Amino acid sequence: MSGYVRNLAERAREASLVLATLDGDRRQRLIERMARLLEHHAADVLAANAEDMERGRAAGLGEALLDRLKLDEARIAAMAAGVREVAAQADPLGQVTRREVRPNGIVIERQRVPLGLIAMIYEARPNVTADAAALCLKAGNAVLLRGGSEARASNAAIAACLHQALREEGLPEAAVSLVADPAREHVMELLQLSDLIDLAIPRGGESLIRFVAEHARVPVIKHYKGVCHLYVDRAADVGKALDLLVDGKASRPGVCNALETLLVHRDIADAFLPAALERLAARQVEVRGCERTRAFSDQVGQAEEADYAAEYLDLILAVRVVEGIEDALAHIVRYGSDHTEVIATEDAVAAEAFVRGTRSSAVMVNASSRFNDGGQLGLGAEIGISTTRLHAYGPMGAESLTIERFVVRGEGQVRHEASRQR
C-alpha cells in the first residue's frame, strides 16, 4: 500500500474529533456557507464538468452514465438547495431517544452521537460529493470521498467549494477529504483501514458494490441495484396505473428508483396492457414480455429469465402477467433487490397485503417509485438508499449517520453493596 489514503484518513479522523464537539448552530452555518459557495462558484463547477463530459463521451460511456455525470445550472441549483435542506433540519446529535428511571434511581438514556469517519465510494454522480459532505457534517462526522475517475474534475471543483467553507469557518479542511488520485488500488487501501474508518458506503454499479462488500474490512452499508417493480392489481384505476408506469420508467430511466419490471394481474390485462404498451412505445421504451404480454403486440420482445433480474438503467422494461397478488409477491421475492416496490390498486385489503408481503426498503401504494428519494421523503439530500437490512434501510439522511449510545446518570449508586466503604 502506498500510504496515500492512510494519510488522508488519519487527518480526516482527527478532524472528526473536532466536528463531534461542534454545536448544532455552528454545523448549520458551515453547511449553509457550503451551499452559497457552490452557487457562487457554479461556473467553475460547470467548466470542470464539461471536461468530464467530453472525456466520458470520448471513452464511450453509455447514455445512462453520462446522464448521471452531467451537471447544468438547474442541477447545481438543486444541489445547493439540497445542501440547504440538510442545514435546516433538526440537529440529530444529542437527541435522547429513550429515557427511563430504574428502580434503583439511576436514569438510563439513549443518545445520538456521530459515527466518526465515513468513507463514501461512488461513481459518476458528482452531486454525491456535496450531498455526502453535507449529511456527514450535519451528523458530526468527517467524510473521506472517493469518486469515480469519470467525474474527477467535477468532484475536485465541488470539493474546492466545500474546503473554502471549512477554511472560512475556521475548521480543518480534512473534515471533507477527497481521494483525488483515481488509481483503483486506493479503493482497496481504503477498505482495509478498519482502525480509522467507521463505515464505508458504496454507491454505484453492481460491480462496485460487490467489490466493496467482498474486500472491505470496515463495516459496509450497500446501496445495491434497484430492480423496482410496479404491480397493477385487478382493482387498479387504469389511468392512475398508467401514470405510475410512465413516471416510474420513462421520466429518468438511469436512476436506481426507476421501474424495471411491470407485473399485471391477469384480470386487468385486457383493459390495461394495450394502453400501457402504447404509452411506453410513445416514450421509446423497449418492452420484453411473457407470452401473454406478447399476445397484445408484435412489438414486444421475448423476456428471458435474466430480464426479470436486470437493472437496465435504460428505456427497457420487463413485463409479466401474473395470476394474482401472491404470484406478484413471489416474483418480487425471487427477482427483487429490496429497493422499491409499487402497487396500483383501489382495494385497501390488497394494498395492505402487498405492504406486508414485501420487505423492500420502500413500498408505494398508488405512488411512483421515483418518490423513494431522500429529498422527496423529507430528508433533504441523501447519502444513498440502503438495501442492507441494518440500522439504516432505505434513503439515508443525517440521522442514519448517527448511532445511539447509553448515558447513565446516577447519584453514586453501585451495583454491589459490598463495594461501599464501611
Side-chain angles (χ1 to χ4, degrees):
M1 293 185 182
S2 66
Y4 164 68
V5 174
R6 171 167 282 277
N7 182 52
L8 284 176
E10 286 175 344
R11 289 188 285 123
R13 184 75 176 184
E14 291 175 2
S16 74
L17 303 178
V18 176
L19 292 170
T21 65
L22 296 182
D23 62 42
D25 288 344
R26 191 168 181 197
R27 279 181 279 115
Q28 180 174 344
R29 289 199 306 272
L30 167 64
I31 299 168
E32 289 172 345
R33 186 181 292 273
M34 288 179 167
R36 290 197 299 273
L37 288 169
L38 285 169
E39 292 170 332
H40 182 73
H41 294 291
D44 297 331
V45 175
L46 288 173
N49 185 249
E51 294 178 24
D52 288 332
M53 291 293 291
E54 182 178 356
R55 191 166 49 248
R57 291 190 186 97
L61 295 184
E63 287 303 316
L65 198 59
L66 287 171
D67 179 61
R68 292 183 177 193
L69 176 60
K70 181 182 178 181
L71 292 176
D72 54 26
E73 290 184 359
R75 289 188 179 183
I76 290 180
M79 187 193 314
V83 170
R84 282 197 176 90
E85 284 186 39
V86 172
Q89 291 172 358
D91 184 7
L93 296 187
Q95 289 182 3
V96 175
T97 61
R98 170 195 163 197
R99 189 176 189 276
E100 178 184 356
V101 181
R102 300 294 295 163
N104 62 1
I106 64 171
V107 178
I108 309 295
E109 296 177 350
R110 284 182 70 84
Q111 184 185 85
R112 291 198 179 280
V113 295
L115 280 163
L117 174 58
I118 296 172
M120 189 72 195
I121 306 166
Y122 55 106
E123 296 174 331
R125 293 179 179 172
N127 65 290
V128 174
T129 302
D131 292 350
L135 287 162
C136 288
L137 294 171
K138 183 69 177 182
N141 302 294
V143 63
L144 183 60
L145 301 163
R146 199 285 184 180
S149 59
E150 67 282 350
R152 60 180 178 270
S154 304
N155 292 335
I158 293 169
C161 300
L162 309 181
H163 290 157
Q164 181 179 342
L166 286 160
R167 288 195 305 272
E168 291 179 1
E169 289 291 330
L171 295 168
E173 289 184 34
V176 178
S177 292
L178 180 68
V179 181
D181 188 335
R184 290 191 175 185
E185 58 265 27
H186 293 322
V187 176
M188 180 66 82
E189 183 178 355
L190 183 156
L191 295 175
Q192 310 309 304
L193 301 179
S194 56
D195 57 325
L196 296 172
I197 294 173
D198 295 286
L199 177 67
I201 303 175
R203 183 172 176 179
E206 184 174 353
S207 61
L208 172 67
I209 307 297
R210 289 192 180 278
F211 179 87
V212 171
E214 290 170 5
H215 293 91
R217 292 185 180 177
V218 301
V220 174
I221 288 182
K222 292 180 289 186
H223 174 117
Y224 195 43
K225 64 182 181 180
V227 182
C228 305
H229 301 79
L230 166 62
Y231 166 58
V232 180
D233 185 51
R234 66 192 302 176
D237 178 299
V238 170
K240 289 180 186 177
L242 289 170
D243 291 345
L244 296 178
L245 173 62
V246 172
D247 189 64
K249 178 72 262 184
S251 62
R252 196 175 176 195
V255 293
C256 64
N257 58 14
L259 292 175
E260 304 292 13
T261 299
L262 169 66
L263 303 173
V264 182
H265 194 294
R266 65 178 184 178
D267 291 350
I268 203 172
D270 289 345
F272 177 76
L273 274 174
L277 295 175
E278 182 179 344
R279 289 192 64 177
L280 290 169
R283 297 296 186 107
Q284 289 78 52
V285 177
E286 175 189 345
V287 177
R288 301 173 185 177
C290 66
E291 288 303 322
R292 284 189 281 186
T293 303
R294 296 181 70 204
F296 290 97
S297 172
D298 58 7
Q299 299 301 306
V300 177
Q302 177 66 53
E304 306 294 340
E305 182 82 3
D307 288 310
Y308 293 117
E311 183 186 33
Y312 295 112
L313 301 174
D314 201 350
L315 289 171
I316 305 171
L317 184 71
V319 183
R320 181 183 167 210
V321 177
V322 296
E323 297 300 309
I325 193 168
E326 294 83 3
D327 194 13
L329 289 170
H331 180 104
I332 291 168
V333 167
R334 180 172 181 179
Y335 297 105
S337 61
D338 289 347
H339 198 289
T340 309
E341 318 304 346
V342 183
I343 182 172
T345 187
E346 300 301 304
D347 182 343
V349 174
E352 288 310 305
F354 189 84
V355 170
R356 292 194 305 270
T358 179
R359 68 176 215 162
S360 295
S361 74
V363 186
M364 311 295 185
V365 178
N366 296 322
S368 171
S369 64
R370 297 298 315 284
F371 285 111
N372 192 7
D373 170 86
Q376 296 298 316
L377 297 180
L379 303 180
E382 68 182 32
I383 204 165
I385 297 179
S386 169
T387 55
T388 304
R389 298 171 69 86
L390 291 175
H391 83 285
Y393 196 39
M396 295 177 61
E399 186 177 289
S400 296
L401 301 177
T402 66
I403 51 176
E404 294 182 358
R405 69 173 176 184
F406 284 96
V407 176
V408 179
R409 305 184 189 280
E411 296 179 348
Q413 291 94 330
V414 294
R415 183 169 178 177
H416 303 286
E417 284 301 316
S419 302
R420 295 190 183 279
Q421 291 184 1
R422 300 295 183 187

